């Protein structure tokens, strides 16, 4: 497995692959890889001739009071996981490679970026869209793989790719969960044992919401209320939002019909957790 530490090295490698008509799959990550990332890499391995995993903790998507400095970094372990899942290359640029002095260009996906998590993390999705476009420019993938756990991120990247006619297929992949339902996330490492034990209630709440949606006379508000009651049983929790939205527009669903998504973001101690489930009515 090759380690490409600069955009030029990665671009040259991708050019060589493209010149042999090989299809390229990209799995963009910020490292601290877990079984959720492994499932994306394995899927890319099955569907593409060559697989690149990018590992870059992107400063542009963290707010001034967020966890950029303490975000877990574990390159040697991450490289082993990538190799064991069959990746051909890890792309690990430095911050100066991606954002050299004088850098001024950012991508804004309007509307979708200011809803849900965007209300609590201003500028976050601008940073995500910018870095993902830059990764696409360097790796030139045919297909790029993202987890549905970050459902809003996935919707924004699909929108950007369609709006900018990017020649890449965006593949959304199911969330991987712990046995008790907690969605895998690099940020789960921040949870204390007590918080970890309570964190399962986020998915339990969403599941309760799905059950409520199937009950007679259910309304969007009764569904979100069912989720809130389960989550509020966690000592010291605070809820950023619980929302039932249209899967494509991410706007609040006025009624229970069509393909909807139930999403929640909560704060447990110093850790912010997000999760979502489909609601098909
Ligand atoms: O989901 C992530 O890990 C990041 O937001 C991404 C897509 C790699 C962009 O930095």
């Amino acid at each position: 497995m090759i380690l490409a530490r600069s955009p030029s090295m990665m671009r040259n490698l991708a050019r060589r692959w493209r010149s042999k008509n090989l299809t390229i799959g990209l799995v963009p990550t910020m490292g601290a890889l877990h079984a959720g990332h492994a499932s994306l890499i394995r899927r890319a391995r099955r569907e593409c001739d060559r697989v690149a995993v990018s590992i870059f903790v992107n400063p542009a998507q963290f707010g001034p009071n967020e966890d950029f400095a303490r975000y877990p970094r574990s390159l040697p372990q991450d490289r082993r996981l990538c190799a064991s899942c069959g990746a051909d290359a890890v792309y690990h640029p430095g911050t100066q490679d991606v954002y050299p002095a004088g850098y001024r260009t950012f991508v804004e996906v309007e509307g979708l970026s200011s809803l849900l998590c965007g209300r609590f993390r201003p500028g976050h999705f601008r940073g995500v869209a910018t870095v993902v476009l830059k990764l696409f420019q360097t790796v030139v993938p045919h297909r790029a793989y993202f987890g549905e756990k970050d459902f809003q991120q996935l919707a924004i990247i699909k929108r950007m790719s369609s709006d900018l006619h990017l020649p890449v297929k965006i593949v959304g992949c199911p969330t991987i969960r712990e046995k008790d339902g907690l969605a895998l996330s690099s940020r789960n490492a921040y949870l204390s044992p007590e918080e970890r034990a309570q964190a399962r209630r986020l998915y339990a709440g969403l599941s309760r919401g799905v059950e409520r949606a199937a009950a007679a006379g259910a309304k969007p508000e009764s569904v979100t209320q069912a989720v809130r009651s389960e989550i509020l049983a966690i000592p010291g929790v605070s809820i950023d939002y619980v929302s039932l939205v249209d899967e494509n527009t991410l706007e609040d669903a006025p009624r229970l019909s069509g393909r909807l998504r139930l999403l929640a973001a909560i704060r447990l101690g110093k850790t912010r957790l997000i999760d979502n489930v489909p609601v098909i009515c």
Side-chain angles (χ1 to χ4, degrees):
M1 195 184 65
I2 297 162
L3 176 64
R5 281 195 179 268
S6 67
S8 59
M9 190 174 168
M10 185 64 237
R11 204 173 296 118
N12 289 336
L13 182 60
R15 258 192 214 129
R16 283 207 296 282
W17 287 342
R18 286 249 171 190
S19 72
K20 295 181 190 154
N21 276 331
L22 298 168
T23 56
I24 304 175
L26 170 65
V27 181
T29 81
M30 298 206 298
L33 303 182
H34 50 63
H37 297 110
S39 78
L40 302 180
I41 302 169
R42 290 205 184 93
R43 171 132 181 221
R45 175 70 290 155
R46 289 196 297 277
E47 296 179 355
C48 307
D49 297 319
R50 293 290 181 270
V51 175
V53 180
S54 63
I55 297 180
F56 178 64
V57 186
N58 173 32
Q61 69 187 77
F62 289 81
N65 298 318
E66 293 188 347
D67 55 342
F68 175 68
R70 71 175 182 132
Y71 196 84
R73 289 158 172 87
S74 51
L75 186 62
Q77 225 173 295
D78 290 347
R79 284 175 68 181
R80 283 196 290 278
L81 181 137
C82 292
S84 74
C85 295
D88 298 288
V90 164
Y91 172 43
H92 181 55
T95 306
Q96 293 307 310
D97 293 318
V98 180
Y99 301 113
Y103 189 88
R104 287 290 175 271
T105 307
F106 293 88
V107 182
E108 188 90 49
V109 179
E110 293 183 358
L112 291 181
S113 296
S114 43
L115 305 164
L116 302 169
C117 285
R119 280 178 23 231
F120 299 87
R121 304 187 69 190
H124 169 66
F125 290 114
R126 174 185 192 251
V128 170
T130 301
V131 82
V132 169
L133 180 60
K134 289 185 64 101
L135 291 167
F136 287 175
Q137 297 291 89
T138 306
V139 182
V140 242
H142 296 83
R143 301 166 72 87
Y145 296 81
F146 297 87
E148 284 185 349
K149 190 197 146 246
D150 297 295
F151 193 79
Q152 184 174 11
Q153 167 173 286
L154 176 61
I156 287 169
I157 290 165
K158 281 185 178 162
R159 187 75 256 165
M160 172 181 79
S161 303
S162 162
D163 287 354
L164 299 181
H165 307 299
L166 303 181
V168 52
K169 180 170 171 48
I170 306 302
V171 185
C173 304
T175 302
I176 306 294
R177 300 181 179 282
E178 303 277 8
K179 278 205 182 68
D180 67 356
L182 178 66
L184 295 193
S185 161
S186 307
R187 289 192 167 96
N188 293 350
Y190 299 153
L191 297 169
S192 69
E194 296 74 28
E195 290 166 345
R196 171 63 192 85
Q198 294 290 339
R200 60 160 200 89
R201 287 185 190 271
L202 174 54
Y203 180 64
L206 293 170
S207 307
R208 188 183 276 201
V210 173
E211 276 165 34
R212 187 75 191 84
K219 295 204 170 62
E221 307 75 60
S222 57
V223 173
T224 51
Q225 195 44 51
V227 183
R228 283 178 165 274
S229 336
E230 173 76 32
I231 292 173
L232 288 171
I234 305 175
V237 76
S238 71
I239 296 181
D240 275 1
Y241 64 82
V242 175
S243 298
L244 182 62
V245 303
D246 176 282
E247 202 169 77
N248 297 312
T249 63
L250 304 185
E251 302 278 356
D252 280 336
R255 67 190 75 81
L256 289 176
S257 79
R259 299 181 69 83
L260 308 179
R261 205 88 191 177
L262 181 57
L263 305 96
I266 65 171
R267 292 176 198 259
L268 241 181
K270 289 205 167 90
T271 310
R272 188 170 186 276
L273 298 176
I274 59 172
D275 199 354
N276 68 85
V277 292
V279 177
I280 297 161
C281 303

